[in-house]
Amino acid sequence: METKTVTEKELSSYIKATKKALVCKNAKTKQMLADLVNDILCYCEENPNSTFEDIKKHFGEPNTVAEEFSIGFDDNYIKKYKFAQFFKIAVIAILTAILLFIGTLTVVIVANNRRAAAFDFDVEIKYNEVIE
Amino acid sequence: MSITEGLKRGTIEIMLLNILKDNDLYGYQICQEFEKRSNGLFQITEGSLYPVLYRLLDKGYISDRKELVGKRRTRVYYRIESEGLEYLKKITEEYVSLNRGILFALGYGDLEVFLDGNKNCD
């Protein structure tokens, strides 16, 4: 993937930065990033002396690429995507809270039962001592 | 978003399908064709192109195929389908009609009159 003047590291950092800036992350964005890599390599083949700065000038900064791509999607799609993400986080948070509550409750009940059992044992010993 | 960008967004589909009507092309080539056919007046970046490409793919107006380039790299070529040609015809008619309506509303008269007027000014 290395070209004459653009290093693989630079290309990789550009793609990572674009991916990070994307609003939606799904199969389409994965496809877009793959297509972007191909197009950058095509550009480098046709412009062999191009530098990383030339690439950023032609394709845009990662934030710009991500923004243009996101704008291209239907507004409703982005709203639905954001809602789905929010819903997912909310469900995970609620489930975590429930699990924590159940866990805490279980620990408290077990601790209480052990204390109760120990008390009964003590009472039994004293009763036996008295009888003897 | 600037006014020009907003106008461009609405016409990318029609331009894209028109370009693919002649040849199967990949993303970078499509962007170059945009610029070439518009004499440099209509430039599009890959970031703006991809959503339109994928939307047209989902609708079945275009199809894609992968071609091996070199040892491991694949290049995706896009081709217009028959449904895409029908859609292109429909939106071209709508676009021309809309533009004529706008020119009339702006007081420029018909499209030919507007173009003649501009030619005389040059």
Side-chain angles (χ1 to χ4, degrees), chain B residues 32-47:
Chain B
Q32 288 188 307
E33 276 296 306
F34 263 84
E35 194 174 341
K36 185 177 153 193
R37 290 190 187 202
S38 65
N39 290 330
L41 293 172
F42 197 125
Q43 291 175 359
I44 182 174
T45 57
E46 282 74 3

Side-chain angles (χ1 to χ4, degrees), chain A residues 74-120:
Chain A
D74 191 87
D75 285 342
N76 280 336
Y77 177 87
I78 292 184
K79 275 183 194 164
K80 280 181 194 169
Y81 178 84
K82 283 186 175 174
F83 177 77
Q85 291 296 103
F86 170 76
F87 186 74
K88 211 190 312 182
I89 291 168
V91 164
I92 290 170
I94 289 168
L95 281 173
T96 307
I98 290 171
L99 283 170
L100 273 171
F101 176 73
I102 292 171
T104 310
L105 201 61
T106 308
V107 166
V108 166
I109 290 170
V110 165
N112 276 343
N113 281 344
R114 279 188 183 161
R115 252 186 261 127
F119 178 73
D120 286 344

Side-chain angles (χ1 to χ4, degrees), chain A residues 10-33:
Chain A
E10 282 171 330
L11 187 53
S12 180
S13 73
Y14 182 81
I15 298 298
K16 274 186 190 161
T18 307
K19 186 179 177 182
K20 196 178 171 187
L22 286 165
V23 170
C24 304
K25 290 180 178 63
N26 50 26
K28 285 198 194 310
T29 54
K30 197 176 168 185
Q31 186 179 356
M32 186 278 275
L33 291 168

Side-chain angles (χ1 to χ4, degrees), chain B:
Chain B
M1 193 192 302
S2 69
I3 294 168
T4 310
E5 289 302 318
L7 287 170
K8 272 163 74 170
R9 269 186 74 193
T11 49
I12 288 175
E13 263 189 14
I14 192 172
M15 294 273 289
L16 173 58
L17 289 170
N18 199 50
I19 285 168
L20 289 178
K21 199 175 63 174
D22 301 328
N23 286 307
D24 296 358
L25 299 170
Y26 53 91
Y28 180 65
Q29 275 183 323
I30 293 171
C31 291
Q32 288 188 307
E33 276 296 306
F34 263 84
E35 194 174 341
K36 185 177 153 193
R37 290 190 187 202
S38 65
N39 290 330
L41 293 172
F42 197 125
Q43 291 175 359
I44 182 174
T45 57
E46 282 74 3
S48 300
L49 177 69
Y50 298 134
V52 181
L53 272 174
Y54 303 153
R55 192 163 57 239
L56 293 172
L57 262 172
D58 286 344
K59 290 180 180 175
Y61 294 146
I62 63 175
S63 60
D64 61 351
R65 73 171 195 279
K66 290 183 171 63
E67 261 189 30
L68 193 64
V69 176
K71 287 182 186 171
R72 287 183 300 174
R73 205 153 61 87
T74 54
R75 197 175 271 168
V76 181
Y77 282 82
Y78 297 95
R79 151 190 285 203
I80 191 168
E81 295 296 327
S82 52
E83 293 88 350
L85 285 167
E86 280 171 32
Y87 179 65
L88 172 61
K89 188 179 168 204
K90 187 179 144 198
I91 57 172
T92 304
E93 283 168 6
E94 282 182 21
Y95 175 79
V96 169
S97 171
L98 180 66
N99 264 284
R100 292 183 82 175
I102 291 170
L103 284 172
F104 275 124
L106 292 174
Y108 286 110
D110 209 346
L111 181 61
E112 287 78 17
V113 171
F114 172 73
L115 289 173
D116 279 338
N118 274 353
K119 213 186 293 177
N120 291 334
C121 290
D122 287 343

Side-chain angles (χ1 to χ4, degrees), chain A residues 27-42:
Chain A
K28 285 198 194 310
T29 54
K30 197 176 168 185
Q31 186 179 356
M32 186 278 275
L33 291 168
D35 284 344
L36 182 62
V37 167
N38 256 321
D39 286 346
I40 291 173
L41 292 172
C42 289

